[in-house]
Amino acid sequence: MNTDELEWALMKAERRVLEIQTKLHRWANAEPHRRFDDLFNLVTDPAFLLIAWDRVRGNKGARTAGVDGQTAYYVESVRGVEEFLGEVRSDLKNRSFRPLPVRERMIPKPGTAKRRRLGIPTVRDRVVQASLKLVLEPIYEAEFHPCSYGFRPERRTHDAVAEMRLLASNSYEWVLEADIAACFDEISHPDLMDRLRHRIGDKRVLAVVKAFLKAGILSETGNIRDTDTGTPQGGILSPLLANVALSALDEHFAAKWTDRVERARRRRHGLANYRLIRYADDFAIMVSGTRAHAEALLDEVAEVLSRLG
């Protein structure tokens, strides 16, 4: 496939993917309890795989290889994109697809002496993860709460900060601010899969997601570790899966966000009002009340998070 043919194919694929994503989002929004039973055919659809490849190829990690030593540029120049995507699709459809372990890299945390773990999947696995994300994200975007800002379309850190400033200027003067230690490493697989099953009824899609969770890690010392918990930070699908898991925290505090009349009544009776603002595994709970109200949230938050592992 030459450059002009590829560009034309990408244009057609982009249109098809967007149309289907729009339908998925509309259906998920209209029927909050609907379970989607036939999504695997979309994950393996040539248009979805082509757009997934384009996203992987355009990512700054395209020059970085996974455990198989292949980069996106190698696939493009040696194997050929058309043949590569054909093999991926065939492996998925005949159920022979198995993710390889991610390659571990320890990278410095900005502004600290600490390091964080980054997992680098193979290019093939990145493409499949990107295709899964194209299918799953429109469904979950219909039910994610507005308090969640991290790794979501059309949402930025600045939006979260703006909401915090607005609340702080309207009597929400106490803040419980935290991040979840080793969040991406510790998320409970059973809990995450249960939350996915609320919306996803296609067992083939769930099986591929679970296979990625269990793929293992090749450490910098050359040892392979099993992954019994967590979703490797660095994978294309990981931020979406983390948001699915942590939406339990969003739901808990969304239930406390009542209408204006009820909030006013609570304050007259000396009770607090709360508003959660979350960016991935960093969050702040804005409290209209007292310091004691804010401190009392520590145990409450810990209880909610303990269910996630």
Side-chain angles (χ1 to χ4, degrees):
M1 186 181 294
N2 61 41
T3 303
D4 290 339
E5 289 175 334
L6 182 58
E7 287 182 2
W8 175 243
L10 280 168
M11 286 176 59
K12 290 197 298 181
E14 191 80 57
R15 189 179 305 119
R16 172 172 167 76
V17 168
L18 184 58
E19 287 175 357
I20 293 174
Q21 286 183 316
T22 302
K23 289 179 182 178
L24 290 171
H25 183 76
R26 185 171 66 244
W27 294 335
N29 202 44
E31 302 177 60
H33 301 292
R34 175 173 180 165
R35 293 179 79 229
F36 290 80
D37 295 315
D38 190 16
L39 297 176
F40 189 72
N41 289 331
L42 295 178
V43 175
T44 62
D45 185 289
F48 278 78
L49 288 172
L50 182 57
I51 296 303
W53 158 260
D54 189 55
R55 302 263 170 101
V56 170
R57 170 63 177 78
N59 190 285
K60 63 181 181 181
R63 295 180 181 275
T64 307
V67 296
D68 62 356
Q70 296 185 11
T71 65
Y73 295 97
Y74 172 85
V75 169
E76 196 171 44
S77 60
V78 178
R79 297 186 60 183
V81 174
E82 195 169 7
E83 181 180 342
F84 169 74
L85 293 180
E87 290 178 6
V88 171
R89 183 168 189 260
S90 177
D91 289 347
L92 284 167
K93 290 184 76 69
N94 66 26
R95 309 292 187 89
S96 65
F97 175 81
R98 297 291 183 275
L100 292 173
V102 298
R103 183 164 67 89
E104 182 181 70
R105 290 285 302 277
M106 301 299 292
I107 61 174
K109 269 192 171 184
T112 73
K114 298 179 181 178
R115 298 200 301 167
R116 66 184 177 90
R117 181 178 293 111
L118 190 68
I120 304 170
T122 65
V123 173
R124 182 193 65 150
D125 292 349
R126 277 178 250 174
V127 168
V128 176
Q129 287 193 32
S131 189
L132 281 165
K133 185 182 177 186
L134 288 170
V135 174
L136 297 178
E137 188 172 64
I139 296 170
Y140 283 99
E141 276 297 316
E143 66 177 44
F144 284 157
H145 288 272
C147 64
S148 168
Y149 287 92
F151 305 111
R152 293 183 60 190
E154 309 299 328
R155 286 176 161 253
R156 306 176 305 152
T157 315
H158 291 79
D159 299 324
V161 172
E163 184 175 1
M164 292 179 69
R165 293 185 65 176
L166 177 64
L167 289 166
S169 66
N170 284 276
S171 81
Y172 287 78
E173 297 172 350
W174 289 99
V175 183
L176 173 63
E177 187 275 330
D179 70 356
I180 303 167
C183 174
F184 283 85
D185 297 330
E186 300 296 338
I187 288 173
S188 163
H189 290 172
D191 181 82
L192 173 57
M193 294 305 298
D194 283 345
R195 295 189 71 81
L196 287 170
R197 289 188 192 99
H198 289 163
R199 274 302 211 178
I200 310 303
D202 192 324
K203 292 181 179 180
R204 297 166 297 178
V205 169
L206 294 171
V208 176
V209 172
K210 188 173 182 178
F212 276 118
L213 294 176
K214 301 295 186 183
I217 297 171
L218 177 67
S219 72
E220 291 183 322
T221 59
N223 298 315
I224 294 182
R225 300 196 308 273
D226 292 336
T227 43
D228 298 320
T229 61
T231 173
Q233 192 165 359
I236 290 173
L237 196 58
S238 292
L240 176 61
L241 295 180
N243 273 335
V244 170
L246 294 174
S247 60
L249 188 64
D250 306 343
E251 291 162 7
H252 179 82
F253 281 95
K256 293 176 175 288
W257 183 250
T258 54
D259 61 42
R260 183 174 296 182
V261 173
E262 175 62 16
R263 294 200 301 271
R265 187 196 69 78
R266 288 178 58 84
R267 293 302 297 125
R268 286 196 303 271
H269 287 81
L271 301 174
N273 292 310
Y274 309 96
R275 182 69 166 174
L276 171 72
I277 300 169
R278 183 174 65 80
Y279 194 97
D281 56 344
D282 293 280
F283 65 91
I285 304 172
M286 311 291 289
V287 182
S288 177
T290 66
R291 175 172 182 152
H293 288 135
E295 289 177 341
L297 290 173
L298 283 166
D299 290 340
E300 186 175 336
V301 170
E303 182 182 351
V304 175
L305 294 177
S306 69
R307 303 170 202 154
L308 308 178

